[in-house]
Amino acid sequence: MSDSMHDINCYYCGKKSDLYLNSANKKSSKKINFSSTEILIEDSEIKPNLFYCKNCEIIFSEFCSSKFENNYKDVIDPQYIDQIKNKKLYFENLIKKLSDQIKNTDNVLEIGSYYGAFGSQIKEKVNSYKGIELSKYASDYAQKEFKLDISNNNIYDFFQSNDKKFDIIFMFDVIEHLDDPNLVLKICSENLNKNGRLIFSTMNMNSIFAKLTGKYYPWIIAMHKFYFTDHSVKKFLNSNNFELNKTINDVRIISLEYLFLKISQKIKIFRQIYRVVKSIKFIKDIKIKFSLFDINIYCAYLKK
């Protein structure tokens, strides 16, 4: 990127794109952390500049053209494992919200199955469950702990060798990480049965919280390459033979300790408070429902 900060071209159409958010963050000595919940201290975290393409109506990172996906192969995420009970509870609650989208005869695929929290909750409610996960450690954990059918593979190689279509494909907090989300949506549409569904979650950059926080929005991080709005989600779905059917606000279930941890990662003054909170054992067991109304779950159907 040049010093002008205005000469980056769109990943998809190649047209000159506008600066959307300037992080004003020096990056030369910093390293991108690819784990999902690893501690990201603001002082050492890479905050990418974001750009907006008027033609494609998508927001993308300055690292958009860098290939990241192979970096997830060696990820080990102990904080996620520490929170696995809450993750399972969250997905149990989410599955109830999606009960009108899920049938017990469905054959489902989860892209980015990670440590198996979702798979462990959905597998008894559908005909079959299959997961794809890049992290070898995470896929081994899911197979061992939850007896899940997980392929430790990337999306493209999996579908090249797969001869089975699915009724639902799930992607939770995945699409923003992908090297080419449009291609993955196309692959999903080609590998769904008639009346197939795609259900995925991502940040809504038009949410009040994202707008208010601007460049300080906590989910602007280096490993998030693409950023969507409700409008751009609909546009990308439509261009890949999907029709948006339902949008749900994503409400997480987390421990009170974990909430203090995440705040301490972003606000220095809370780091001392977190050290005190962490020493109080019962706080870890207090569960809360939490949402900033900035993450949505999108349910789409294949167009007839």
Side-chain angles (χ1 to χ4, degrees):
M1 191 189 321
S2 75
D3 291 337
S4 69
M5 308 281 287
H6 291 278
D7 63 348
I8 194 167
N9 294 329
C10 176
Y11 181 88
Y12 287 111
C13 69
K15 292 186 178 180
K16 189 174 178 180
S17 300
D18 297 325
L19 183 66
Y20 182 80
L21 282 175
N22 178 4
S23 72
N25 183 261
K26 294 180 181 179
K27 309 171 180 68
S28 59
S29 63
K30 298 177 182 179
K31 185 178 179 181
I32 297 173
N33 190 324
F34 287 94
S35 71
S36 173
T37 56
E38 192 67 35
I39 291 180
L40 297 172
I41 300 301
E42 188 71 28
D43 297 342
S44 61
E45 181 184 350
I46 295 176
K47 298 289 284 187
N49 299 307
L50 301 187
F51 294 82
Y52 175 70
C53 174
K54 292 179 182 177
N55 183 53
C56 296
E57 299 182 88
I58 192 163
I59 301 163
F60 59 93
S61 163
E62 63 180 290
F63 303 124
C64 185
S65 296
S66 302
K67 299 299 180 185
F68 280 177
E69 289 178 18
N70 284 337
N71 289 282
Y72 294 100
K73 290 180 179 179
D74 299 321
V75 163
I76 299 175
D77 195 345
Q79 286 185 22
Y80 193 98
I81 296 174
D82 187 57
Q83 292 290 317
I84 199 79
K85 288 183 179 179
N86 293 330
K87 302 290 185 183
K88 289 171 63 179
L89 188 60
Y90 156 70
F91 281 120
E92 180 185 2
N93 188 57
L94 178 58
I95 290 166
K96 290 177 182 177
K97 288 185 179 180
L98 295 171
S99 60
D100 62 329
Q101 308 285 317
I102 301 169
K103 303 172 186 174
N104 59 11
T105 56
D106 285 333
N107 297 310
V108 309
L109 173 72
E110 183 185 10
I111 297 174
S113 52
Y114 216 34
Y115 286 86
F118 174 73
S120 68
Q121 300 306 296
I122 193 75
K123 68 175 183 177
E124 301 300 332
K125 298 176 175 63
V126 294
N127 184 55
S128 70
Y129 169 87
K130 177 72 179 180
I132 309 173
E133 175 52 47
L134 278 171
S135 166
K136 180 68 165 59
Y137 190 91
S139 59
D140 286 348
Y141 182 96
Q143 290 168 2
K144 181 181 177 181
E145 295 296 323
F146 303 123
K147 306 298 185 291
L148 294 174
D149 181 8
I150 306 290
S151 175
N152 178 219
N153 209 341
N154 66 54
I155 298 165
Y156 319 104
D157 290 344
F158 172 80
F159 281 113
Q160 279 185 353
S161 60
N162 176 65
D163 57 2
K164 174 185 175 182
K165 290 195 173 184
F166 299 92
D167 299 300
I168 314 180
I169 295 177
F170 294 95
M171 290 192 295
F172 297 109
D173 303 337
V174 167
I175 196 168
E176 60 270 14
H177 296 259
L178 296 172
D179 287 341
D180 191 342
N182 194 60
L183 175 59
V184 171
L185 289 179
K186 180 176 183 291
I187 291 171
C188 287
S189 70
E190 294 169 345
N191 286 275
L192 282 168
N193 290 320
K194 184 180 179 181
N195 300 320
R197 288 88 75 203
L198 172 67
I199 298 175
F200 66 99
S201 63
T202 193
M203 300 87 66
N204 173 20
M205 294 299 282
N206 269 348
S207 66
I208 294 173
F209 182 64
K211 290 287 188 183
L212 284 175
T213 51
K215 68 180 181 181
Y216 300 106
Y217 182 51
W219 295 121
I220 298 175
I221 56 178
M223 66 178 183
H224 289 168
K225 298 178 69 175
F226 292 90
Y227 299 79
F228 297 87
T229 64
D230 287 347
H231 176 73
S232 63
V233 162
K234 190 173 182 179
K235 181 173 181 175
F236 270 70
L237 286 171
N238 287 343
S239 67
N240 288 288
N241 200 37
F242 285 108
E243 183 174 350
L244 184 62
N245 171 256
K246 186 176 185 180
T247 303
I248 304 170
N249 174 244
D250 192 16
V251 179
R252 302 291 167 115
I253 296 177
I254 60 176
S255 71
L256 193 58
E257 181 205 359
Y258 187 70
L259 176 61
F260 275 96
L261 168 63
K262 300 308 288 185
I263 295 172
S264 71
Q265 290 170 359
K266 302 298 178 181
I267 304 174
K268 289 182 182 180
I269 196 172
F270 274 86
R271 294 175 196 171
Q272 290 296 333
I273 298 173
Y274 171 66
R275 290 189 182 97
V276 174
V277 167
K278 188 170 66 170
S279 66
I280 305 172
K281 187 176 180 181
F282 77 90
I283 289 182
K284 191 171 185 176
D285 298 324
I286 298 175
K287 297 176 178 63
I288 60 171
K289 290 186 177 181
F290 183 79
S291 174
L292 293 169
F293 302 96
D294 60 319
I295 300 176
N296 286 335
I297 298 160
Y298 300 96
C299 307
Y301 280 75
L302 274 181
K303 291 180 182 177
K304 296 180 180 179

